[in-house]
Amino acid sequence: MSDIADKVKKIVVEHLGVDESKVTPDASFIDDLGADSLDTVELVMAFEEAFSVEIPEDAAEKIATVKDAIDYIEKQKAA
Amino acid sequence: MSGTATNGRRVVVTGIGVVSPLAVGAELTWKRLIEGQSGIGRITHFDPSELPAQVAGQVPDGPTAEGGLTLSDWVPAKDQKKMDRFIHLGLAAAIQAVEDSGWMPEDEDGRCATGVMIGSGIGGLQTIYDASLTVSSGKARRLSPFFIPSALINLISGHLSIRYGFKGPNHAVVTACATGVHAIGDASRLIQYGDADVMVAGGAEAAICSLGIAGFCSARALSTGSNDDPTKASRPWDKDRDGFIMGEGAGVVVLEELEHAKRRGAKIYGEIGGYGLSGDAYHITAPAEGHNGAFRAMKAALRNSGGLTTADIDYVNAHGTSTMADDLELDAVERFFGDDAKRLAMSSTKSAIGHLLGAAGAVEAIFCLQAIRDGIVPPTLNLDNPARESVIDRVAHVAQQRKIDVALSNSFGFGGTNASIILKRFKD
């Protein structure tokens, strides 16, 4: 797993208070990890802060799973 | 209350919950209170050394079984940061009260007949402070989406209703230091009028933060002369009193329509015997000479009592904050009770726990119920030299055994808002 993936996973565990084993790439924040809409807003903010990236609202709306977040951040960092 | 609107519905208390500077737990708080313990100490929530007032009544941390606050026993870890401390404390008291009552509606009708009315004087002050720092450092876009729901006063009611599925009236009182009494009184009326059969009601406060202490210091409301001797700082009616001591905590009761409580065999602590409200229309922080507002609130409570007189009232839990206003309340109580003042006991439990602002009235109403149950009047600590004499026994230093069938509790708030509530022994 990349550094980015590790860090994303850690943030998700911390913010949603879920067990690390549940934070699989395909896990949906809302359907699998118990987040509500406000949790996902906070999660996106935490990603922005941790990775020094801007995640505009229309992009944030498409981030539904752990993998979505990792892919988006990796793409931003590569650009 | 008379007339047909209430259909003679009587309201009893079937559950109690307290979080106080003496303990987390209604019975442990009460035990320590009547032993004469003090919950006042030097402020540790933040460094108070820049401020003139440096003592307060903070809820002790520690294992739940020993009366300490272990937050994870009340609020799941992942939800804690979505709520200000006043919500944490309010939920801890409310959960105690609900579990104590044993009321858990099993069908939709029951859920819809169960409401919540838990208020606060100030709300999430520390949360607002922290958020303003985020904004002022240019990070407005980084403000947590939980900032607003963490600070809003009605969110104790909100969280509690979600936790238990209570779908009845969902309300919250905000009347400064009268909040707790107003919540219990107004919630009782919702039951009397049939809007609910059960109401979980009370108040919570957690304003021992730099902004809260500094604000009340600026208003010249807090004691500053006992920073080196914290347990002596809160001294209602004493000639050396020099301001109130801020406390934090929560008090919550489960109010229930009498027949509803009887049908399920609930334990009954006592009955709501009367409730009265008034306004001073005088000054934003000071009561008027003679405290006419207090007098009228007590009179209104008696008027709504279904025939009680001042001769029936055995104990008054005073507002008694350890300020100059103590004597104005004393004037009003003496005037209101007339000849009956001679046989009255009156104490200020703020001498032991400080002033819990929006939680004060609810915690003190619970003390009244415990006083009725156990036949014990809690003491007024530090009343060494009364600033003025009175025929009323103010229960200095040590608790007294005394038969109490009816108790009255006063709460007065900034803005000139006054409330009195009468609690009485339940007799079928």
Side-chain angles (χ1 to χ4, degrees), chain A residues 33-48:
Chain A
L33 301 177
D36 63 21
S37 58
L38 293 182
D39 287 315
T40 61
V41 172
E42 195 176 52
L43 211 47
V44 166
M45 279 186 191
F47 295 147
E48 289 183 317

Side-chain angles (χ1 to χ4, degrees), chain B residues 237-253:
Chain B
W237 299 299
D238 189 80
K239 72 174 177 49
D240 292 326
R241 70 196 187 278
D242 71 335
F244 82 80
I245 301 300
M246 181 100 83
E248 63 173 357
V252 175
V253 296

Side-chain angles (χ1 to χ4, degrees), chain A residues 15-17 36 38-39 41-42 45 48-49 54, chain B residues 78 81-82 139-146 149:
Chain A
H15 279 263
L16 300 183
D36 63 21
L38 293 182
D39 287 315
V41 172
E42 195 176 52
M45 279 186 191
E48 289 183 317
E49 187 85 18
E54 290 283 324
Chain B
K78 79 176 175 67
K81 63 181 167 52
K82 303 173 184 175
K139 292 184 171 175
R141 284 195 62 241
R142 288 273 180 274
L143 207 53
S144 165
F146 296 105

Side-chain angles (χ1 to χ4, degrees), chain A residues 17-29:
Chain A
V18 289
D19 198 80
E20 206 179 322
S21 65
K22 287 192 174 162
V23 189
T24 59
D26 291 333
S28 153
F29 298 126

Side-chain angles (χ1 to χ4, degrees), chain B residues 251-270:
Chain B
V252 175
V253 296
V254 173
L255 300 164
E256 193 163 345
E257 191 273 324
L258 174 60
E259 297 307 320
H260 189 278
K262 277 160 67 176
R263 272 199 300 278
R264 66 182 191 90
K267 160 187 67 194
I268 294 175
Y269 284 92

